[in-house]
Amino acid sequence: MDQFDSLKREATKLERSLEDKVARYQQLVQSIPDATASNDLLLAESGMGASSSAAEDEAALRHDIQRTMTNLQDLVNTQLQPAAERSGKSLLVKRYREILFDLSGDFEKSRQAHTRKMERAKLMEGASANRRKSPLEIDNMGMDHLMRERSHISNSQSAAAAVINQAVEIRNDLRSQGFSLGRAQGAMGQIANNIPGINTLVEQIRKKRSKDDMIVAGVIASCILFTLWYLFG
């Protein structure tokens, strides 16, 4: 029971710390100017939109929140839940999980809002930089873009040509194998056609040997009978 109370106090401490950090993160994201407003557009063009210190604070607080969430989740799943099951207080674990789910949702919404603000600020900075550039620089940028596209197209064509050449080689190999199989099949057909003739020749030889054996047997029998008649006749 003492172990369960200790885990409960630790989970409550992490829960309150997480709530405070998520609230501070929401305030920090709201304090960052949005480049869609006209005044903020002027700030973005002058380089005063989102300062580097604000970006560093956001990154540090975001990592701290993620670490606290991981610690609370590990504590609830690996330690508090088994202790609660032994003490019959599973509802408390469910409550901590619901709190963690709600805080995770609030944090994710704020993080996505910050990401959208940073993307809009970068777009505005790029647009203002293009407006400050001379027509010659813009033409050079367009030419560089076209050259890169041309290089990509050339590489794609080279790759496609290599694939086509490989397919042609495979087709030629398959055609050669087909011709070889055709010749082998023809040779096997000729052998199959000649087999009946060979069988007939063997059968004739066997019959002739049988006839010769019968003649020899008849001659021997005649000699034996003649000898017996000569001796006892």
Side-chain angles (χ1 to χ4, degrees):
M1 191 67 180
D2 294 338
Q3 181 184 5
F4 177 78
D5 292 338
S6 177
L7 293 174
K8 179 182 175 182
R9 286 193 296 270
E10 186 177 356
T12 303
K13 182 179 178 181
L14 289 174
E15 172 196 342
R16 293 174 180 175
S17 176
L18 184 60
E19 288 178 350
D20 180 66
K21 292 173 183 178
V22 170
R24 286 193 287 117
Y25 186 81
Q26 290 174 339
Q27 294 176 358
L28 178 62
V29 172
Q30 292 175 359
S31 65
I32 297 175
D34 195 345
T36 55
S38 59
N39 293 332
D40 294 334
L41 178 58
L42 296 176
L43 292 175
E45 291 179 355
S46 60
M48 298 174 59
S51 62
S52 59
S53 61
E56 293 176 357
D57 293 341
E58 185 275 334
L61 185 55
R62 170 162 44 86
H63 291 305
D64 193 10
I65 290 173
Q66 292 173 344
R67 183 171 58 252
T68 305
M69 283 183 178
T70 302
N71 293 335
L72 179 57
Q73 186 174 8
D74 292 340
L75 177 64
V76 171
N77 293 334
T78 61
Q79 299 183 43
L80 188 60
Q81 181 178 358
E85 290 177 353
R86 290 191 298 268
S87 303
K89 296 183 179 181
S90 301
L91 293 177
L92 183 63
V93 176
K94 182 179 179 182
R95 172 184 169 276
Y96 280 117
R97 285 178 175 171
E98 291 176 352
I99 292 173
L100 182 61
F101 179 78
D102 294 337
L103 293 176
S104 300
D106 295 339
F107 168 69
E108 185 63 23
K109 290 178 182 178
S110 299
R111 191 190 66 80
Q112 292 179 0
H114 175 265
T115 301
R116 288 192 294 269
K117 284 186 177 182
M118 293 300 100
E119 290 176 351
R120 285 194 291 266
K122 289 180 180 180
L123 290 175
M124 292 301 176
E125 289 177 2
S128 61
N130 288 333
R131 285 196 295 270
R132 288 194 297 268
K133 290 180 180 179
S134 64
L136 180 59
E137 290 177 342
I138 296 176
D139 292 340
N140 290 334
M141 290 178 58
M143 185 60 66
D144 292 339
H145 180 71
L146 291 176
M147 293 299 293
R148 287 195 298 270
E149 291 295 330
R150 180 180 179 183
S151 177
H152 293 330
I153 293 173
S154 178
N155 294 334
S156 299
Q157 290 177 347
S158 300
V163 173
I164 292 173
N165 292 332
Q166 185 177 4
V168 171
E169 292 178 358
I170 293 173
R171 186 194 63 180
N172 293 334
D173 292 340
L174 292 176
R175 182 177 294 178
S176 300
Q177 294 177 5
F179 290 155
S180 300
L181 290 175
R183 289 194 295 269
Q185 185 177 2
M188 292 298 296
Q190 292 178 358
I191 294 173
N193 293 330
N194 293 331
I195 286 176
I198 295 174
N199 291 334
T200 303
L201 179 62
V202 172
E203 183 67 20
Q204 291 177 356
I205 293 172
R206 187 182 65 80
K207 289 180 179 180
K208 187 175 181 181
R209 288 186 61 182
S210 298
K211 187 181 294 185
D212 293 340
D213 292 341
M214 291 177 64
I215 293 173
V216 171
V219 171
I220 293 173
S222 299
C223 292
I224 293 172
L225 291 175
F226 180 76
T227 301
L228 292 174
W229 176 80
Y230 180 75
L231 291 175
F232 299 103

